[in-house]
Amino acid sequence: MTNHKKFGLIGGGVMGEALLSRLISCEIYQPSDVIVSEPLTERRTYLEQEYKISAIADSGMTFTEATEVVFLAIKPQIFSAIAQELAPVIRHGSKQLIVSILAGVPLKQLEAAFPGLPVIRAMPNTPATVGAGMTAICCGAYTKAKHTEIAKKLFSAVGEVEEIPEYLMDAVTGLSGSGPAYVALMIESLADGGVAAGLPRAVASKLALQTVLGTAQLLQESKMHPAVLKDKVTSPGGTTIAGINKLEQAAFRSALIEAVKAATKRSQELGK
């Protein structure tokens, strides 16, 4: 490479591409600022053609070429192998910021692999692929305010960002990390309920999806507490309270609470 890059992405998979596409479309980085390490030739070719960036197979070269940020978007299972590959080129006191979205890989493990470098651990969720994600970040010992701002700027390109202490990261995994599956299950169930009530499948699916999407947008924009909106929709002796009564009988709220707790516990187990 003849020109140094500002942003180095190690791992050009779904989440890596989601971030890459938004960073370029939002003009946070220009294509000429970016270098991507991706082992699959077909994937490298696609990323180069789609985003006009440089893509190579060598993670070590990506690290040395990226002057501002090195972003890890690889599978946690191959982190040790990638860390060993990068070890010979890591310079103590480097100005590079390391950002990791590796689930279950704690700051202490990241900092051991990148001694002396500022490190930020992040947990985005799948809606990030359409720019509507929720990302939690926590900062390592060498991370300064300017590094935190860089990370927030990166993840703001794919949605909302919240800084938290690391001990809360498992709870984040249980809620926003796993949460899209809970919401998808709820939407599917609402549509099934519509079909059971006599609606055509296509109509029921559209109604269920837009109802959830619209309700979330209403709560976000109005800053209304969910309980207040629920009370506004619920008339005395009406249809909504009849439905809510059935949800309470089925322990709907308790089931969601227990789902988040179970996912949090599993995240803790996987991180050990």
Side-chain angles (χ1 to χ4, degrees):
M1 300 291 167
T2 56
N3 297 315
H4 283 291
K5 310 293 183 179
K6 292 181 180 179
F7 183 82
L9 173 63
I10 299 181
V14 173
M15 194 61 79
E17 183 188 355
L19 182 74
L20 175 64
S21 66
R22 297 288 294 183
L23 290 177
I24 291 175
S25 65
C26 294
E27 297 186 349
I28 294 174
Y29 289 113
Q30 298 299 316
S32 59
D33 293 331
V34 178
I35 183 169
V36 179
S37 170
E38 168 56 48
L40 298 178
T41 303
E42 184 177 339
R43 188 70 179 161
R44 288 199 304 274
T45 301
Y46 163 75
L47 292 172
E48 286 185 322
Q49 293 177 347
E50 183 71 16
Y51 301 105
K52 313 305 179 187
I53 50 87
S54 299
I56 59 176
D58 187 348
S59 297
M61 181 64 73
T62 303
F63 187 94
T64 55
E65 288 289 330
T67 60
E68 185 173 287
V69 177
V70 175
F71 193 99
L72 303 177
I74 54 177
K75 295 183 184 300
Q77 298 91 325
I78 66 171
F79 172 67
S80 294
I82 293 295
Q84 289 178 358
E85 185 179 334
L86 294 177
V89 298
I90 295 174
R91 303 184 306 279
H92 186 86
S94 168
K95 296 180 180 179
Q96 290 156 306
L97 168 63
I98 309 299
V99 180
S100 166
I101 60 169
L102 278 61
V105 179
L107 283 173
K108 63 179 181 180
Q109 190 174 345
L110 293 165
E111 291 182 323
F114 302 97
L117 271 62
V119 173
I120 288 179
R121 177 186 174 190
M123 170 59 68
N125 62 6
T126 50
T129 58
V130 292
M134 182 68 237
T135 302
I137 64 172
C138 56
C139 304
Y142 297 96
T143 305
K144 308 296 184 184
K146 63 179 181 179
H147 300 125
T148 305
E149 288 307 308
I150 290 172
K152 286 182 177 180
K153 187 175 182 181
L154 293 178
F155 288 110
S156 291
V158 292
E160 299 292 324
V161 187
E162 185 73 23
E163 184 180 357
I164 61 166
E166 188 176 26
Y167 74 87
L168 292 177
M169 195 59 89
D170 290 314
V172 167
T173 303
L175 177 52
S176 62
S178 300
Y182 314 153
V183 176
L185 188 62
M186 183 181 70
I187 292 171
E188 182 184 30
S189 299
L190 281 172
D192 284 345
V195 172
L199 291 171
R201 170 64 65 180
V203 174
S205 296
K206 183 176 182 179
L207 290 174
L209 181 60
Q210 185 58 37
T211 298
V212 173
L213 182 64
T215 302
Q217 185 175 345
L218 173 58
L219 288 171
Q220 184 181 52
E221 293 185 6
S222 68
K223 309 300 181 187
M224 193 186 307
H225 190 283
V228 174
L229 177 57
K230 182 262 294 180
D231 288 349
K232 284 181 177 291
V233 180
T234 307
S235 303
T239 60
T240 305
I241 193 61
I244 288 175
N245 184 49
K246 285 296 183 181
L247 290 175
E248 294 291 4
Q249 289 178 19
F252 176 73
R253 287 193 286 186
S254 178
L256 284 176
I257 291 169
E258 291 303 315
V260 174
K261 289 168 62 179
T264 299
K265 181 180 178 182
R266 184 58 180 153
S267 178
Q268 292 168 340
E269 292 170 350
L270 292 173
K272 292 180 180 178

PDB file of all heavy atoms in Angstrom, residues 12 21 57 63 72 75 101 112 122 151 163 167 172 180 187-188 198 200 211 217 221 230 242 259 266 269:
ATOM      1  N   GLY A  12     -14.748  -8.682   7.059  1.00  0.00           N
ATOM      2  CA  GLY A  12     -15.703  -8.045   6.156  1.00  0.00           C
ATOM      3  C   GLY A  12     -17.019  -8.781   6.052  1.00  0.00           C
ATOM      4  O   GLY A  12     -17.605  -8.884   4.974  1.00  0.00           O
ATOM      5  N   SER A  21     -20.571   0.372   5.167  1.00  0.00           N
ATOM      6  CA  SER A  21     -21.468   1.043   4.225  1.00  0.00           C
ATOM      7  C   SER A  21     -21.990   2.357   4.795  1.00  0.00           C
ATOM      8  O   SER A  21     -22.092   3.360   4.086  1.00  0.00           O
ATOM      9  CB  SER A  21     -22.645   0.127   3.863  1.00  0.00           C
ATOM     10  OG  SER A  21     -23.478  -0.116   4.978  1.00  0.00           O
ATOM     11  N   ALA A  57      -5.928  -9.660   2.293  1.00  0.00           N
ATOM     12  CA  ALA A  57      -6.078 -10.839   3.138  1.00  0.00           C
ATOM     13  C   ALA A  57      -5.245 -10.750   4.415  1.00  0.00           C
ATOM     14  O   ALA A  57      -5.483 -11.485   5.368  1.00  0.00           O
ATOM     15  CB  ALA A  57      -5.683 -12.098   2.359  1.00  0.00           C
ATOM     16  N   PHE A  63      -3.481  -3.649  10.014  1.00  0.00           N
ATOM     17  CA  PHE A  63      -3.161  -2.970  11.269  1.00  0.00           C
ATOM     18  C   PHE A  63      -2.111  -1.880  11.066  1.00  0.00           C
ATOM     19  O   PHE A  63      -2.248  -0.766  11.560  1.00  0.00           O
ATOM     20  CB  PHE A  63      -2.655  -3.987  12.302  1.00  0.00           C
ATOM     21  CG  PHE A  63      -2.456  -3.421  13.676  1.00  0.00           C
ATOM     22  CD1 PHE A  63      -3.455  -3.505  14.630  1.00  0.00           C
ATOM     23  CD2 PHE A  63      -1.275  -2.783  14.019  1.00  0.00           C
ATOM     24  CE1 PHE A  63      -3.284  -2.968  15.895  1.00  0.00           C
ATOM     25  CE2 PHE A  63      -1.083  -2.239  15.277  1.00  0.00           C
ATOM     26  CZ  PHE A  63      -2.099  -2.331  16.218  1.00  0.00           C
ATOM     27  N   LEU A  72     -12.293  -4.511  14.922  1.00  0.00           N
ATOM     28  CA  LEU A  72     -12.335  -5.978  14.891  1.00  0.00           C
ATOM     29  C   LEU A  72     -13.774  -6.451  14.743  1.00  0.00           C
ATOM     30  O   LEU A  72     -14.598  -6.272  15.652  1.00  0.00           O
ATOM     31  CB  LEU A  72     -11.728  -6.555  16.166  1.00  0.00           C
ATOM     32  CG  LEU A  72     -10.293  -6.157  16.492  1.00  0.00           C
ATOM     33  CD1 LEU A  72      -9.867  -6.750  17.827  1.00  0.00           C
ATOM     34  CD2 LEU A  72      -9.346  -6.601  15.386  1.00  0.00           C
ATOM     35  N   LYS A  75     -15.129 -13.402  14.140  1.00  0.00           N
ATOM     36  CA  LYS A  75     -15.771 -14.322  15.078  1.00  0.00           C
ATOM     37  C   LYS A  75     -14.897 -14.448  16.331  1.00  0.00           C
ATOM     38  O   LYS A  75     -13.671 -14.538  16.221  1.00  0.00           O
ATOM     39  CB  LYS A  75     -15.966 -15.698  14.430  1.00  0.00           C
ATOM     40  CG  LYS A  75     -16.931 -15.696  13.251  1.00  0.00           C
ATOM     41  CD  LYS A  75     -17.138 -17.088  12.718  1.00  0.00           C
ATOM     42  CE  LYS A  75     -18.024 -17.079  11.474  1.00  0.00           C
ATOM     43  NZ  LYS A  75     -19.353 -16.514  11.731  1.00  0.00           N
ATOM     44  N   ILE A 101     -16.055  -5.661  18.389  1.00  0.00           N
ATOM     45  CA  ILE A 101     -17.457  -6.058  18.565  1.00  0.00           C
ATOM     46  C   ILE A 101     -17.543  -7.568  18.801  1.00  0.00           C
ATOM     47  O   ILE A 101     -18.561  -8.188  18.542  1.00  0.00           O
ATOM     48  CB  ILE A 101     -18.331  -5.636  17.368  1.00  0.00           C
ATOM     49  CG1 ILE A 101     -17.849  -6.276  16.059  1.00  0.00           C
ATOM     50  CG2 ILE A 101     -18.407  -4.131  17.249  1.00  0.00           C
ATOM     51  CD1 ILE A 101     -18.837  -6.093  14.900  1.00  0.00           C
ATOM     52  N   ALA A 112      -4.652  -7.316  26.703  1.00  0.00           N
ATOM     53  CA  ALA A 112      -3.497  -8.210  26.720  1.00  0.00           C
ATOM     54  C   ALA A 112      -2.970  -8.432  25.309  1.00  0.00           C
ATOM     55  O   ALA A 112      -1.764  -8.577  25.083  1.00  0.00           O
ATOM     56  CB  ALA A 112      -3.877  -9.551  27.359  1.00  0.00           C
ATOM     57  N   ALA A 122     -17.429  -3.091  22.210  1.00  0.00           N
ATOM     58  CA  ALA A 122     -18.776  -2.658  21.830  1.00  0.00           C
ATOM     59  C   ALA A 122     -19.691  -3.844  21.577  1.00  0.00           C
ATOM     60  O   ALA A 122     -19.249  -4.926  21.179  1.00  0.00           O
ATOM     61  CB  ALA A 122     -18.711  -1.790  20.570  1.00  0.00           C
ATOM     62  N   ALA A 151     -15.356   6.520  18.797  1.00  0.00           N
ATOM     63  CA  ALA A 151     -16.201   5.323  18.803  1.00  0.00           C
ATOM     64  C   ALA A 151     -17.677   5.684  18.710  1.00  0.00           C
ATOM     65  O   ALA A 151     -18.445   5.046  17.980  1.00  0.00           O
ATOM     66  CB  ALA A 151     -15.935   4.505  20.063  1.00  0.00           C
ATOM     67  N   GLU A 163     -22.760   4.613  26.413  1.00  0.00           N
ATOM     68  CA  GLU A 163     -21.543   4.194  27.109  1.00  0.00           C
ATOM     69  C   GLU A 163     -21.915   3.624  28.474  1.00  0.00           C
ATOM     70  O   GLU A 163     -22.689   4.229  29.223  1.00  0.00           O
ATOM     71  CB  GLU A 163     -20.587   5.369  27.287  1.00  0.00           C
ATOM     72  CG  GLU A 163     -19.256   4.972  27.923  1.00  0.00           C
ATOM     73  CD  GLU A 163     -18.297   6.138  28.092  1.00  0.00           C
ATOM     74  OE1 GLU A 163     -18.641   7.271  27.662  1.00  0.00           O
ATOM     75  OE2 GLU A 163     -17.211   5.925  28.653  1.00  0.00           O
ATOM     76  N   TYR A 167     -19.128  -4.212  33.398  1.00  0.00           N
ATOM     77  CA  TYR A 167     -19.866  -5.252  34.122  1.00  0.00           C
ATOM     78  C   TYR A 167     -21.332  -5.347  33.686  1.00  0.00           C
ATOM     79  O   TYR A 167     -22.011  -6.332  33.966  1.00  0.00           O
ATOM     80  CB  TYR A 167     -19.747  -5.048  35.634  1.00  0.00           C
ATOM     81  CG  TYR A 167     -20.556  -3.903  36.203  1.00  0.00           C
ATOM     82  CD1 TYR A 167     -21.889  -4.082  36.594  1.00  0.00           C
ATOM     83  CD2 TYR A 167     -19.999  -2.638  36.366  1.00  0.00           C
ATOM     84  CE1 TYR A 167     -22.634  -3.041  37.105  1.00  0.00           C
ATOM     85  CE2 TYR A 167     -20.737  -1.581  36.879  1.00  0.00           C
ATOM     86  CZ  TYR A 167     -22.049  -1.792  37.254  1.00  0.00           C
ATOM     87  OH  TYR A 167     -22.786  -0.750  37.761  1.00  0.00           O
ATOM     88  N   VAL A 172     -26.572  -6.032  28.672  1.00  0.00           N
ATOM     89  CA  VAL A 172     -26.819  -5.437  27.353  1.00  0.00           C
ATOM     90  C   VAL A 172     -27.023  -6.543  26.316  1.00  0.00           C
ATOM     91  O   VAL A 172     -27.927  -6.475  25.472  1.00  0.00           O
ATOM     92  CB  VAL A 172     -25.646  -4.529  26.939  1.00  0.00           C
ATOM     93  CG1 VAL A 172     -25.735  -4.164  25.462  1.00  0.00           C
ATOM     94  CG2 VAL A 172     -25.634  -3.262  27.792  1.00  0.00           C
ATOM     95  N   PRO A 180     -33.689  -8.317  19.488  1.00  0.00           N
ATOM     96  CA  PRO A 180     -34.360  -8.382  18.176  1.00  0.00           C
ATOM     97  C   PRO A 180     -35.071  -9.715  17.922  1.00  0.00           C
ATOM     98  O   PRO A 180     -36.110  -9.745  17.256  1.00  0.00           O
ATOM     99  CB  PRO A 180     -33.195  -8.174  17.193  1.00  0.00           C
ATOM    100  CG  PRO A 180     -32.255  -7.286  17.949  1.00  0.00           C
ATOM    101  CD  PRO A 180     -32.316  -7.787  19.369  1.00  0.00           C
ATOM    102  N   ILE A 187     -43.720 -10.166  16.838  1.00  0.00           N
ATOM    103  CA  ILE A 187     -44.360  -9.766  15.579  1.00  0.00           C
ATOM    104  C   ILE A 187     -44.959 -10.987  14.874  1.00  0.00           C
ATOM    105  O   ILE A 187     -46.091 -10.938  14.362  1.00  0.00           O
ATOM    106  CB  ILE A 187     -43.345  -9.053  14.662  1.00  0.00           C
ATOM    107  CG1 ILE A 187     -42.961  -7.700  15.271  1.00  0.00           C
ATOM    108  CG2 ILE A 187     -43.923  -8.853  13.256  1.00  0.00           C
ATOM    109  CD1 ILE A 187     -41.810  -7.007  14.560  1.00  0.00           C
ATOM    110  N   GLU A 188     -44.210 -12.073  14.859  1.00  0.00           N
ATOM    111  CA  GLU A 188     -44.716 -13.308  14.251  1.00  0.00           C
ATOM    112  C   GLU A 188     -45.994 -13.776  14.962  1.00  0.00           C
ATOM    113  O   GLU A 188     -46.968 -14.186  14.328  1.00  0.00           O
ATOM    114  CB  GLU A 188     -43.651 -14.399  14.312  1.00  0.00           C
ATOM    115  CG  GLU A 188     -44.069 -15.707  13.660  1.00  0.00           C
ATOM    116  CD  GLU A 188     -43.037 -16.808  13.828  1.00  0.00           C
ATOM    117  OE1 GLU A 188     -42.312 -16.803  14.847  1.00  0.00           O
ATOM    118  OE2 GLU A 188     -42.965 -17.677  12.945  1.00  0.00           O
ATOM    119  N   GLY A 198     -58.971 -14.411  11.450  1.00  0.00           N
ATOM    120  CA  GLY A 198     -59.598 -14.380  10.137  1.00  0.00           C
ATOM    121  C   GLY A 198     -58.924 -13.517   9.091  1.00  0.00           C
ATOM    122  O   GLY A 198     -59.395 -13.433   7.953  1.00  0.00           O
ATOM    123  N   PRO A 200     -56.152 -12.410   6.236  1.00  0.00           N
ATOM    124  CA  PRO A 200     -55.199 -13.054   5.323  1.00  0.00           C
ATOM    125  C   PRO A 200     -53.772 -12.873   5.862  1.00  0.00           C
ATOM    126  O   PRO A 200     -53.470 -11.851   6.500  1.00  0.00           O
ATOM    127  CB  PRO A 200     -55.385 -12.278   4.014  1.00  0.00           C
ATOM    128  CG  PRO A 200     -56.727 -11.651   4.129  1.00  0.00           C
ATOM    129  CD  PRO A 200     -56.932 -11.350   5.569  1.00  0.00           C
ATOM    130  N   THR A 211     -47.523  -2.009  13.251  1.00  0.00           N
ATOM    131  CA  THR A 211     -47.969  -1.680  14.611  1.00  0.00           C
ATOM    132  C   THR A 211     -46.787  -1.593  15.565  1.00  0.00           C
ATOM    133  O   THR A 211     -46.685  -0.655  16.369  1.00  0.00           O
ATOM    134  CB  THR A 211     -48.978  -2.730  15.115  1.00  0.00           C
ATOM    135  OG1 THR A 211     -50.133  -2.708  14.267  1.00  0.00           O
ATOM    136  CG2 THR A 211     -49.399  -2.445  16.546  1.00  0.00           C
ATOM    137  N   GLN A 217     -41.754   4.077  17.332  1.00  0.00           N
ATOM    138  CA  GLN A 217     -41.470   5.444  16.881  1.00  0.00           C
ATOM    139  C   GLN A 217     -42.250   6.461  17.719  1.00  0.00           C
ATOM    140  O   GLN A 217     -41.719   7.519  18.096  1.00  0.00           O
ATOM    141  CB  GLN A 217     -41.826   5.594  15.405  1.00  0.00           C
ATOM    142  CG  GLN A 217     -41.436   6.954  14.817  1.00  0.00           C
ATOM    143  CD  GLN A 217     -41.687   7.026  13.319  1.00  0.00           C
ATOM    144  OE1 GLN A 217     -41.890   6.014  12.663  1.00  0.00           O
ATOM    145  NE2 GLN A 217     -41.664   8.225  12.775  1.00  0.00           N
ATOM    146  N   GLU A 221     -40.394   9.349  19.921  1.00  0.00           N
ATOM    147  CA  GLU A 221     -40.560  10.762  19.596  1.00  0.00           C
ATOM    148  C   GLU A 221     -41.333  11.534  20.673  1.00  0.00           C
ATOM    149  O   GLU A 221     -41.062  12.712  20.915  1.00  0.00           O
ATOM    150  CB  GLU A 221     -41.255  10.910  18.244  1.00  0.00           C
ATOM    151  CG  GLU A 221     -40.396  10.422  17.085  1.00  0.00           C
ATOM    152  CD  GLU A 221     -41.033  10.666  15.729  1.00  0.00           C
ATOM    153  OE1 GLU A 221     -42.094  11.324  15.688  1.00  0.00           O
ATOM    154  OE2 GLU A 221     -40.465  10.204  14.717  1.00  0.00           O
ATOM    155  N   LYS A 230     -50.002   2.648  26.980  1.00  0.00           N
ATOM    156  CA  LYS A 230     -50.901   1.504  27.194  1.00  0.00           C
ATOM    157  C   LYS A 230     -52.225   1.962  27.779  1.00  0.00           C
ATOM    158  O   LYS A 230     -53.314   1.540  27.327  1.00  0.00           O
ATOM    159  CB  LYS A 230     -50.210   0.488  28.118  1.00  0.00           C
ATOM    160  CG  LYS A 230     -51.016  -0.778  28.398  1.00  0.00           C
ATOM    161  CD  LYS A 230     -51.745  -0.709  29.723  1.00  0.00           C
ATOM    162  CE  LYS A 230     -50.759  -0.686  30.882  1.00  0.00           C
ATOM    163  NZ  LYS A 230     -51.482  -0.613  32.178  1.00  0.00           N
ATOM    164  N   ALA A 242     -59.353  -6.476  27.273  1.00  0.00           N
ATOM    165  CA  ALA A 242     -59.635  -7.911  27.157  1.00  0.00           C
ATOM    166  C   ALA A 242     -58.387  -8.652  26.686  1.00  0.00           C
ATOM    167  O   ALA A 242     -58.051  -9.735  27.188  1.00  0.00           O
ATOM    168  CB  ALA A 242     -60.799  -8.141  26.193  1.00  0.00           C
ATOM    169  N   ALA A 259     -36.671 -13.918  29.905  1.00  0.00           N
ATOM    170  CA  ALA A 259     -35.857 -14.119  28.703  1.00  0.00           C
ATOM    171  C   ALA A 259     -34.584 -13.280  28.763  1.00  0.00           C
ATOM    172  O   ALA A 259     -33.481 -13.759  28.462  1.00  0.00           O
ATOM    173  CB  ALA A 259     -36.664 -13.764  27.455  1.00  0.00           C
ATOM    174  N   ARG A 266     -26.563 -16.559  30.308  1.00  0.00           N
ATOM    175  CA  ARG A 266     -25.838 -17.349  29.300  1.00  0.00           C
ATOM    176  C   ARG A 266     -24.638 -16.578  28.776  1.00  0.00           C
ATOM    177  O   ARG A 266     -23.567 -17.165  28.525  1.00  0.00           O
ATOM    178  CB  ARG A 266     -26.783 -17.705  28.151  1.00  0.00           C
ATOM    179  CG  ARG A 266     -26.160 -18.600  27.085  1.00  0.00           C
ATOM    180  CD  ARG A 266     -25.652 -19.900  27.692  1.00  0.00           C
ATOM    181  NE  ARG A 266     -25.050 -20.766  26.693  1.00  0.00           N
ATOM    182  CZ  ARG A 266     -24.110 -21.670  26.960  1.00  0.00           C
ATOM    183  NH1 ARG A 266     -23.660 -21.819  28.216  1.00  0.00           N
ATOM    184  NH2 ARG A 266     -23.616 -22.418  26.001  1.00  0.00           N
ATOM    185  N   GLU A 269     -21.908 -16.964  31.223  1.00  0.00           N
ATOM    186  CA  GLU A 269     -21.313 -18.302  31.149  1.00  0.00           C
ATOM    187  C   GLU A 269     -20.342 -18.409  29.959  1.00  0.00           C
ATOM    188  O   GLU A 269     -19.261 -18.981  30.081  1.00  0.00           O
ATOM    189  CB  GLU A 269     -22.411 -19.357  31.012  1.00  0.00           C
ATOM    190  CG  GLU A 269     -23.276 -19.501  32.251  1.00  0.00           C
ATOM    191  CD  GLU A 269     -24.504 -20.362  32.024  1.00  0.00           C
ATOM    192  OE1 GLU A 269     -24.787 -20.702  30.852  1.00  0.00           O
ATOM    193  OE2 GLU A 269     -25.184 -20.698  33.004  1.00  0.00           O
TER     194      GLU A 269
END
